[in-house]
Amino acid sequence: MSSIPTLEHPIHSLLADRWSPRAFDKDAGLTQLEVNHLFEAARWAPSSSNVQPWRYKFALKSDAEAFQKMLDLLVPANQIWAQHASMLVLAIAKKSYDNRPGNNAYAWYDLGTANFALTLEAMNHGLYVHQMGGFVREKAVETFQLPEDLEPVVVLAIGRLGEVGDLPEHLQEREVPRKPRLSQQEFVEQISE
């Protein structure tokens, strides 16, 4: 494992401690109350015009058939480790408005905000989230018969931390709690007259 980078400035521990593990505790489950807390956090995320364009489908590992259906959406490289998560969530952007014509250009941004709210709430409960773009979108649309205005965006693996040694060797070296971050000077520019 590499060393943990230091913060340039103090931030809340939910943010500072957040990372995206692949090693999940394969024997741990989630309670219904924990699931409810995660989606309640997403529910209260901000969104453009308050249209809340996020939709979720999820499966708990305790429901083997449903979990396998969700796992089958992932590319093989992600299936290797995500199979041990306690929960898999398909995060979907609703592209259309309910009360006016046109597409919602902010749907993906708003979904990302909801996902991050869910992620921070997960951290608050000792859970970790790993968001993945590595899944077959067409298969998700087909599996769940999603209408055209619902676009699958990412899959989230959620659970408690497992043992790095339980991962295949090629993934163990990638299991780094805090990867290097850009410095603020590399992405922030103050504009002044």
Side-chain angles (χ1 to χ4, degrees):
M1 295 248 196
S2 70
S3 63
I4 298 173
T6 58
L7 298 171
E8 292 179 4
H9 304 281
I11 57 175
H12 196 285
S13 62
L14 290 178
L15 295 165
D17 296 340
R18 188 217 59 81
W19 64 290
S20 301
R22 290 177 185 82
F24 286 103
D25 182 344
K26 62 185 175 198
D27 298 320
L30 299 183
T31 67
Q32 187 60 54
L33 186 59
E34 288 172 322
V35 172
N36 293 346
H37 282 284
L38 300 180
F39 290 119
E40 187 68 10
R43 178 175 174 245
W44 286 97
S47 63
S48 176
S49 300
N50 194 33
V51 297
Q52 303 161 48
W54 43 80
R55 302 293 182 268
Y56 294 100
K57 294 191 179 293
F58 75 96
L60 295 172
K61 190 171 183 182
S62 58
D63 183 340
E65 188 175 321
F67 192 84
Q68 187 63 50
K69 184 183 284 190
M70 195 70 78
L71 189 65
D72 288 343
L73 302 179
L74 303 180
V75 298
N78 285 336
Q79 289 179 2
I80 291 170
W81 57 268
Q83 66 181 312
H84 301 300
S86 301
M87 178 176 169
L88 293 174
V89 179
L90 178 64
I92 303 163
K94 185 176 185 306
K95 301 184 291 186
S96 64
Y97 291 105
D98 288 332
N99 56 0
R100 62 179 182 241
N103 285 332
N104 180 356
Y106 305 102
W108 299 266
Y109 178 87
D110 292 343
L111 173 63
T113 302
N115 287 347
F116 196 58
L118 183 154
T119 298
L120 291 182
E121 186 64 22
M123 291 292 300
N124 191 43
H125 292 273
L127 302 169
Y128 288 81
V129 178
H130 190 121
Q131 298 187 39
M132 299 168 273
F135 73 102
V136 183
R137 285 159 180 76
E138 298 79 13
K139 188 170 186 174
V141 169
E142 180 183 320
T143 298
F144 297 112
Q145 299 181 358
L146 299 177
E148 191 174 317
D149 73 327
L150 295 183
E151 182 177 331
V153 179
V154 294
V155 175
L156 292 73
I158 303 173
R160 288 175 174 75
L161 285 180
E163 297 296 324
V164 174
D166 291 342
L167 287 171
E169 193 172 318
H170 74 282
L171 291 178
Q172 290 180 24
E173 61 195 39
R174 296 178 65 189
E175 196 70 349
V176 179
R178 296 299 297 180
K179 294 181 180 172
R181 311 303 279 187
L182 295 174
S183 70
Q184 285 189 28
Q185 291 77 15
E186 293 177 272
F187 67 92
V188 178
E189 179 182 358
Q190 181 177 355
I191 304 300
S192 60
E193 297 283 331

